[in-house]
Amino acid sequence: MRPASLNGYFKDIETLAGIGPRNKAHFLRLFGRQDSARLVDVVFHMPVSVIDRRYRPHVVDAQDGQVATLEVEVLKHIPSHNRKSPYKVLCEDSTGNLTCAFFNPHRSWIEKQLPIGEMRLISGKVEHFRGEIQITHPDYMLPIDQADEMPALETIYPLTSGLGIRALRKALFSALKNVPEVNEWHDPGIMKRETWGTFKESLLQVHSPSQGSDIATNSLYRQRLAYDELLAGQLALALVRDRARKSSGRPIVGTGAITKEILHHLPFNLTGDQQKSFDDIIADMGKKEAMLRLVQGDVGSGKTIVALLAMATAVEAGMQGAILAPTEILARQHMEFMTDLADKVGLKIDLLTGRNKGKKRADLLSRLENGEIDILIGTHAIIQEDVTFANLGLAVIDEQHRFGVQQRMALAHKTVEGADLLVMTATPIPRTLTMTAYGDMDVSLIQEKPPGRKPIQTKVVSHDRLGELVSGLRRALEQGQQIYWVCPLVQESEVLDLAAAEDRYEGLKKVFGAKVGLVHGKMKAAEKDSVMLQFSEGDIRLLVSTTVIEVGVNVPNATIMVIEHAERFGLAQLHQLRGRVGRGEKQSTCMLLRARDIGAVAKSRLQVMRDTEDGFVIAEEDLKLRGAGEILGTRQSGMPEYHFVDLEEHKHLIELARDDARMIMNKDAGLETPRGKALRELLYLFEKDEGVRLLRGG
Ligand SMILES: Nc1ncnc2c1ncn2[C@@H]1O[C@H](COP(=O)(O)OP(=O)(O)OP(=O)(O)O)[C@@H](O)[C@H]1O
C-alpha cells in the first residue's frame, strides 16, 4: 500500500481550485494519462526555458530584441485604420515613448487593460521599429500595485492546445503548495558531497528559479531530482532481480544431446557471437542461482536459433522451455522456424496465442501441464494465470521493448522454483540505456552478422522523385524481387497512418496490379497472418505496410525496402525496418524517401543511416541527436520514461545509482531500516512499486 505520507502527491488535479472537467481534459492530454491526472504529474512537469523579466531599463535605453519590463504611463489609443496595421497604444516614461501594438484586439478589452492616464508595468520583447520603441502583444500589462503577479524569472513549459501557460502555471504553483516534503531517502554522505537540498526544495527551485541556470539539467536541483528518479529505477530492478535470484535457483544442466542434433541439422554454422552467447547461457543455467541474462543482438544477427538451443538445453535437463513473442506474427514465425528442426530432433513444440480458444486451448493446456509439450511458443497468452507448466526451466522473452518487468516476472514464476530468464532484444541500445532499462542484468552481445550477407545499399531520395522510384521498382519486380513499402507516421494517430497507407496501397495497386498487398496494425490477427504468409510465399510481391513489420519479420527473399518520410522515424526504428531486407544472400537496397525541405539535424540523421549498418553506432548517434525518449519509444513499451533524467547529461549518475542500489540491497534488502522505509516512498513516488510489492509486507 502506498504510504499515506504521499497522498498529497496522488490527489486528483480536480482538487485544485480552477480545474474543471474541461481543462482537466487538456491536462490529461499534456501528461499522456488516461482518466486521471494527479498533482505528482503536475509538479513533475519540467520547464523548458526561463524568461528573465528583471531587465528594467528606461524606455530609451531598452535594447532591441531583449525582454524588458517598463514602467510607463498610458497616453493614448490609436485604433488601426486597416486590417494589416496594428492597434497602437502610446505610452511614455520620463525618457521617451513606448508603443504597444496589437493585432485585432477586442476594443473593450484593450481599453480596460490600458486606460489612458494610468501607470502600467509592461513586459515583453522590445523591438526598434521605424524609429519607434515597440512591444507587440506584451506578455504582462499590470497596474503597479499588482506587480507581484509577474514572476521575475518566468518558467516556460511544454503545453498542449487549449492549455495556456497561465493556466498551467496556476495549477503548478497551487499543486506545489499542496504536496508535502518527504522523508529523506538518500544517504547523508551523498547529500553532503553533492550539496543537494531536499526533494521538495529541489522541485520548488526548478519551478521558481532564482537564476535561469537553475532549471538546466546540470543544476544541483535537476541533478538531485534526476538522481532520485534513477535510483528509484535501479532499486526497483535490483529488488526484482534479488527476488528472482532468491526465490529460484536450481542448476539446469543439459546433456548436449538435443542441441548437438539441432546444430547438425542447421544449414549453417553458428557465428562466433552466437556460439559465445550460447556458451554464456549454458554456464548461467548450470548455476544454482536463476539466470537473468539479456541477449542483445543487432537486426538479423540470428537470435532465434540461440533461443532454441537454450530452450533445448532445458529440455535435455528434463524441463520445459517457453518463448514469449511480442506479436502474433512473430510467435507464428518462431513456430514455423522451429517446427522443422523440432520434428527432426524429436522436440515437442506448440503454439499458444490469444486465438486458441475452447476445447483446443484446454487440450493444449492439459498437455502442457502433463509435460507432453517440451517447448511452448506464444504471445502474452502464455502468461495468463491458468497456463501451468509441468516444469518450466527456461523462459525466453523476445521482447523488443514491449514487455515490462512485471510481465517478465510473471513468466518466470510459472513454476514454484522460478525459471531461468533470458531476455532477447533486437534494438541495440547504448550501454547507459541498457543499464537503466535492465539494471544489473548480464549481457551477451551478438554483433556479428551471419556470413555471406551483402551490405544493404541505402539511398536517401527526395519525395519529388517518387515517379522515377516507381519505375525502378517495376524493373525490380520483373526480375522477381520482393519489396516492402513502409508508410510514414502521419501523426500520433493510427487512423491517419492507416489512411496514408491505404492511399498508397490503392495507388500502387493501380500501377502494379494484384501483386500488391497491405498490412496494418488495425487488421485482425488472422488477416495479418494471411497477408504475411502470402508475402513470405511470394504471392504478394510488394507489401505496403504501416510500421507493424518493424520487428522481427523474416522474409529473406525481400530485397527492397522503401520508407516514406524517413525523416519522421527514429534512427533505431529505421534500422529495425531496414533490417527486414539484407537477410538472404542477394544484394538488398533501402530507399529512404524524405520530404523536400528538411532541417539540418534530420539530414544528418539520414546520413548516419546511409553511412553505417552497425546498429550500435546508430543507437549512439540517435541518442546524441534525438535523446533517449525517441530511442526507447512510447510509454507502453515498458522501458522507462523520465521526468527529470537526461541520459546524456546525467550519465555519471546512472552508475552511481546502480552502485547505490546494490549497496542498499546488501545492507537492507527488505527495506526495513528508517532509510529503507524512506526508499519505499521513493519507489511509490516514481511508481516503481512493483519492486516494493515483491517485498513481504510491501
Ligand atoms: N550463423 C548463421 N549463418 C547463416 N544464417 C543464419 C545464421 N544464424 C541465423 N541465420 C539466419 O538469419 C536469419 C535471421 O535470423 P533471426 O530471425 O534469428 O534474426 P534475429 O536476430 O531474430 O533478427 P531480428 O531481430 O532482426 O528479427 C534467419 O533466416 C536465420 O535462419
Side-chain angles (χ1 to χ4, degrees):
M1 261 239 312
R2 184 190 318 135
S5 54
L6 294 180
N7 285 351
Y9 285 91
F10 289 91
K11 273 196 234 155
D12 196 282
I13 53 163
E14 274 186 290
T15 57
L16 297 175
I19 295 191
R22 224 178 85 209
N23 49 7
K24 181 176 170 175
H26 301 316
F27 280 100
L28 290 181
R29 188 165 59 233
L30 182 64
F31 302 136
R33 305 244 343 143
Q34 291 296 323
D35 38 40
S36 79
R38 298 82 37 95
L39 300 198
V40 65
D41 300 310
V42 184
V43 298
F44 279 14
H45 191 59
M46 285 288 101
V48 285
S49 62
V50 170
I51 298 178
D52 189 340
R53 302 197 183 278
R54 292 173 301 182
Y55 175 52
R56 297 183 71 152
H58 285 298
V59 171
V60 284
D61 299 328
Q63 299 284 315
D64 187 23
Q66 291 264 24
V67 173
T69 304
L70 304 161
E71 201 175 318
V72 292
E73 183 182 343
V74 181
L75 290 183
K76 69 171 175 187
H77 284 226
I78 312 166
S80 59
H81 40 83
N82 64 39
R83 279 172 147 248
K84 280 195 191 134
S85 63
Y87 184 111
K88 291 181 175 178
V89 179
L90 206 62
C91 309
E92 68 167 9
D93 71 359
S94 57
T95 64
N97 284 348
L98 172 75
T99 308
C100 295
F102 302 85
F103 289 89
N104 305 318
H106 269 292
R107 183 88 185 242
S108 56
W109 172 80
I110 199 159
E111 282 171 354
K112 207 165 134 218
Q113 293 295 315
L114 297 171
I116 293 169
E118 298 224 358
M119 296 297 293
R120 282 289 181 272
L121 202 60
I122 308 253
S123 187
K125 189 164 166 192
V126 174
E127 296 157 314
H128 291 191
F129 184 69
R130 293 189 186 149
E132 287 179 55
I133 296 178
Q134 179 173 310
I135 295 180
T136 309
H137 294 273
D139 305 326
Y140 288 89
M141 299 177 279
L142 297 170
I144 307 299
D145 60 355
Q146 290 170 26
D148 285 358
E149 285 188 19
M150 188 187 75
L153 283 166
E154 186 173 23
T155 39
I156 303 299
Y157 298 84
L159 295 168
T160 178
S161 68
L163 183 66
I165 187 78
R166 298 260 169 106
L168 178 72
R169 286 177 56 90
K170 191 158 167 253
L172 194 101
F173 288 101
S174 101
L176 279 171
K177 279 203 195 90
N178 275 283
V179 296
E181 183 60 273
V182 293
N183 293 312
E184 184 57 64
W185 43 67
H186 289 311
D187 186 65
I190 189 170
M191 292 295 294
K192 204 161 158 213
R193 194 182 71 217
E194 304 288 339
T195 65
W196 284 338
T198 67
F199 177 73
K200 184 156 181 205
E201 278 163 15
S202 307
L203 265 184
L204 281 171
Q205 195 66 25
V206 172
H207 289 298
S208 33
S210 353
Q211 49 201 351
S213 59
D214 288 354
I215 72 157
T217 47
N218 64 1
S219 76
L220 278 184
Y221 316 103
R222 274 297 289 271
Q223 300 238 16
R224 144 113 219 197
L225 296 170
Y227 190 68
D228 291 328
E229 189 165 32
L230 287 167
L231 183 63
Q234 290 297 308
L235 191 57
L237 290 166
L239 286 166
V240 169
R241 182 185 168 90
D242 187 61
R243 160 73 188 253
R245 286 256 152 95
K246 278 191 190 144
S247 64
S248 52
R250 46 182 176 158
I252 303 177
V253 182
T255 57
I258 306 177
T259 50
K260 208 156 144 198
E261 268 219 63
I262 293 177
L263 290 171
H264 172 73
H265 286 290
L266 279 182
F268 50 74
N269 294 322
L270 293 187
T271 63
D273 281 353
Q274 284 172 322
Q275 184 64 52
K276 168 87 179 48
S277 304
F278 181 46
D279 292 344
D280 289 344
I281 293 165
I282 295 182
D284 278 5
M285 288 173 73
K287 289 186 197 151
K288 195 179 162 307
E289 292 125 40
M291 170 171 74
L292 208 55
R293 178 169 287 277
L294 174 70
V295 173
Q296 229 188 317
D298 204 350
V299 288
S301 61
K303 290 180 292 293
T304 318
I305 184 68
V306 175
L308 178 62
L309 291 169
M311 291 189 290
T313 303
V315 178
E316 287 169 0
M319 302 178 197
Q320 292 161 301
I323 180 164
L324 173 59
T327 63
E328 175 118 17
I329 291 181
L330 288 183
R332 281 180 191 279
Q333 189 175 288
H334 285 324
M335 181 70 187
E336 210 174 291
F337 171 77
M338 292 181 190
T339 301
D340 196 32
L341 282 167
D343 283 351
K344 286 183 181 147
V345 304
L347 277 175
K348 286 165 286 177
I349 67 174
D350 219 320
L351 178 71
L352 177 64
T353 72
R355 270 199 273 160
N356 297 70
K357 299 234 161 73
K359 190 170 165 338
K360 267 192 156 166
R361 180 170 186 274
D363 173 56
L364 188 150
L365 293 191
S366 99
R367 281 184 293 122
L368 186 70
E369 195 164 356
N370 296 333
E372 291 164 45
I373 294 174
D374 295 324
I375 293 177
L376 184 66
I377 299 166
T379 56
H380 58 271
I382 69 178
I383 51 181
Q384 276 159 8
E385 230 161 79
D386 61 342
V387 177
T388 317
F389 288 81
N391 189 0
L392 180 65
L394 173 71
V396 181
I397 302 193
D398 178 2
E399 75 153 15
Q400 328 280 9
H401 300 164
R402 278 177 173 75
F403 298 110
V405 172
Q406 260 152 334
Q407 284 157 310
R408 289 183 210 152
M409 296 306 294
L411 185 55
H413 285 119
K414 282 282 173 198
T415 37
V416 185
E417 294 89 351
D420 277 3
L421 201 58
L422 185 67
V423 178
M424 304 201 301
T425 166
T427 308
I429 48 180
R431 220 191 102 63
T432 42
L433 295 196
T434 312
M435 214 189 285
T436 56
Y438 300 100
D440 249 351
M441 254 186 168
D442 303 303
V443 179
S444 299
L445 291 182
I446 311 186
Q447 273 176 297
E448 203 177 336
K449 295 265 162 75
R453 300 263 174 92
K454 294 209 176 65
I456 302 168
Q457 270 188 12
T458 300
K459 295 180 190 156
V460 181
V461 181
S462 165
H463 242 273
D464 301 347
R465 292 172 53 196
L466 198 69
E468 261 170 75
L469 174 79
V470 170
S471 6
L473 294 184
R474 178 187 296 283
R475 281 192 297 280
L477 286 171
E478 280 164 9
Q479 289 161 7
Q481 302 192 49
Q482 278 181 280
I483 303 167
Y484 289 104
W485 185 299
V486 179
C487 288
L489 292 165
V490 177
Q491 282 171 10
E492 302 284 300
S493 146
E494 276 186 51
V495 182
L496 292 178
D497 288 356
L498 182 54
E502 276 171 344
D503 279 356
R504 185 58 75 207
Y505 165 68
E506 293 300 336
L508 289 169
K509 214 162 76 169
K510 279 200 191 109
V511 182
F512 298 122
K515 289 176 276 198
V516 182
L518 172 68
V519 65
H520 58 76
K522 288 267 169 211
M523 277 175 157
K524 293 223 176 72
E527 284 176 274
K528 261 193 265 183
D529 285 350
S530 137
V531 174
M532 291 312 296
L533 188 69
Q534 290 175 56
F535 187 60
S536 68
E537 291 186 342
D539 297 333
I540 289 175
R541 311 296 302 178
L542 189 161
L543 181 66
V544 178
S545 86
T546 52
T547 53
V548 291
I549 57 150
E550 182 187 342
V551 285
V553 176
N554 190 39
V555 180
N557 192 46
T559 49
I560 298 178
M561 163 70 59
V562 180
I563 304 175
E564 278 193 62
H565 281 294
E567 75 278 1
R568 293 184 193 162
F569 293 89
L571 288 189
Q573 207 180 1
L574 286 176
H575 180 63
Q576 275 293 322
L577 287 168
R578 178 172 62 183
R580 298 311 106 212
V581 297
R583 299 173 85 86
E585 300 202 339
K586 283 184 232 144
Q587 172 71 57
S588 292
T589 316
C590 174
M591 310 292 281
L592 301 176
L593 286 180
R594 63 163 178 83
R596 181 149 36 124
D597 300 309
I598 57 171
V601 173
K603 264 197 190 133
S604 60
R605 292 174 56 243
L606 294 180
Q607 241 153 23
V608 172
M609 290 306 296
R610 207 186 51 199
D611 296 344
T612 181
E613 248 189 87
D614 183 332
F616 291 87
V617 173
I618 290 173
E620 294 282 354
E621 286 296 323
D622 211 12
L623 183 61
K624 267 191 236 150
L625 293 169
R626 299 232 301 187
E630 301 285 350
I631 296 182
L632 301 180
T634 53
R635 198 175 275 272
Q636 329 78 333
S637 65
M639 295 286 279
E641 269 198 24
Y642 293 108
H643 303 282
F644 306 121
V645 178
D646 172 330
L647 288 162
E648 269 299 289
E649 180 62 46
H650 300 136
K651 245 185 202 164
H652 63 293
L653 295 177
I654 298 174
E655 252 166 275
L656 211 61
R658 185 199 51 185
D659 294 346
D660 205 354
R662 259 190 210 162
M663 210 144 67
I664 294 163
M665 294 309 295
N666 284 339
K667 283 199 199 147
D668 180 22
L671 302 185
E672 295 298 348
T673 62
R675 183 182 178 205
K677 297 230 162 78
L679 283 163
R680 290 181 184 220
E681 291 187 14
L682 169 72
L683 291 167
Y684 275 105
L685 196 53
F686 284 95
E687 299 181 79
K688 297 283 179 203
D689 36 313
E690 73 252 34
V692 188
R693 274 193 261 112
L694 291 176
L695 296 167
R696 219 168 306 144

